[in-house]
Amino acid sequence: MFGIVRPCRHRLPEALRAEWTAHLCGLCLALRDGHGQLARIVTNYDGLLVSVLTDAQAGTAASRRRTAGPCPLRGMRTASVARGEGARLAASVSLVLASAKIRDHITDGDGALRRRPLAAAARRTAAGWDRAGARTGGALGFDTALLVDAVERQTDVERAAGPGTPLATVTEPTATATAAAFAHTAALAGRPGNAAPLAEAGRLFGQLAHLLDAVEDRAADAAEGAWNPLTATDTTPAEARKVCDEAARGIRRALRAVDFADRGLAHALLAHEVPRAVDRAFGSAACAHSGGPATVADPHGDAGPPPQPYGQQQPGRPPYGQAPHNLNGPGNPFAGGHGGQGGDGDGGTGGPGGSGGRGPGRQRPPRGFWAGCAAFVGLCCTCQLCCASEYEGPWSRKKREGCLDCGDCCDCCDCCGNCNCDGCGCDCGCDC
C-alpha cells in the first residue's frame, strides 16, 4: 500500500483513526467488488484521499458506511467501511494511475519486466485496469482520459527535460491528473464552488508526490542508470526541499478556501501529514519518543510496557520506560533463566516444565507450546503480525500492536486534538 501520506495511529485521535481505516478498507473493497480480487493490489494510501475529500464535503452519513466482514489485515475483525461515489472514484483513479505505473516500468525495463513474457502479461493487466477505471469513472461523470493523457505526456516531458528545466515542468502531468481527481470530488459532493481550490490543492499534491518519489529513488536510480527528475534537471536537495515545503504550504492555503461539512480528517492528512511526509523523505523527521532523529523501531520493544506520552518519561530512563538493554541480563527477552522472557515476549515460553526463562512466580501462558506455535503460523500466514493494528499474542493471548503499523513516525503528538485550530487550517501554537 504505497503513498506518501502514511499517518501513525498514535498521531490520529481515535475517531479520525477509525475514519481513516474506513476509507482505506472502503477503497480496497471498492476495487474488489468492481474489478476483481487482483485489483486490490493497487490499494494505496494516497488514493483514499479522494474518498476522504468526498465525504469531508458531503458529510459522513450512515448511507455511506457499511459493515465489512472479517479481514486478516484488521486482525480478523469486522469494521465499518466507506462506500459510495467517493470510494468508487478513488478506485477508478487508483486503477488508471497504477496502469500507467506498470507501463512506465515496462518502458524502463525495470526488474523482471525486462523479460518479454512478463512484460506482455503486465501490458494486458494494465490495459484491463485502464478499461475498468474508465468504466467506473464514466459512471461517476469523471473522464479518465484526462489521467491517461497526462500520463502519456510524461514520457515526452522527460525526454525534453535537461539541466535548468523547472521542476514544475517535469511534474506537470502528475499535477494535472491529481488536480482533476481532487476537483471532481466537489461535483460528487454537490459543492461545485469547491472545485477551484481543490484543483489547486490537487495540483500541488501531485507535484509534491512526484518530487518525494524522486527524492526517495534518487540513489537507486543513479545506481541503475534510470531517469530521475532531480538528476536530469541538476536540482540540489536544498532546492528540491524548498519546492516541496512551498507545495505543502500551498496545499494548506488552498484547503482554507474549501467549504467542508467535516474537515477533521482531510485537515489532519493534508495539512499535518503532508509536511511530515516531506520531513520523512528528506531524512529530517524526528521521533518524539527518543527526542532525536527517527530510527528503526527497537525489535524487542513490544516485550515491554506501552509507550509513555511524549514529555512524560521519567528523567534518566529510556523513552519506553524500560531498563537499559543488557544482552546477558534479565532485560534480554531471549536470555534463559533469571526472569528472561520467552515465546512471543509475553512472560514465558509455555514449554514443558516452565524452562526457557520463566522465572519464579510467573504463571503459565494460556496456550501451550505447540498450540502457540500453530497460532503463530496462523498470524504469519494472515499477515496480522505485520499489517494488523492489533493482534493477539500467540502464546499469552495478550493484545499486541502490529510491527509495521507506525512506520518511522511515532510522534504521538495528536496535534489537532491538542491545539485550537479545530481542523480549520489556521495558524495556531502547535506544530501545524
Side-chain angles (χ1 to χ4, degrees), residues 218 235-245 282:
R218 189 169 192 172
T235 301
T236 66
E239 292 169 339
R241 176 65 192 255
K242 181 180 179 180
V243 173
C244 290
D245 286 339
F282 284 92

Side-chain angles (χ1 to χ4, degrees), residues 39-60:
R40 299 174 81 175
I41 67 175
V42 308
T43 303
N44 65 95
Y45 294 132
D46 293 344
L48 69 85
L49 289 173
V50 173
S51 180
V52 170
L53 288 171
T54 303
D55 267 17
Q57 296 171 82
T60 302

Side-chain angles (χ1 to χ4, degrees), residues 25 29 32 40 67-79 384:
C25 294
L29 294 176
R32 182 201 67 182
R40 299 174 81 175
T67 300
C71 174
L73 302 186
R74 291 193 299 267
M76 298 307 296
R77 294 181 177 86
T78 60
Q384 293 183 58

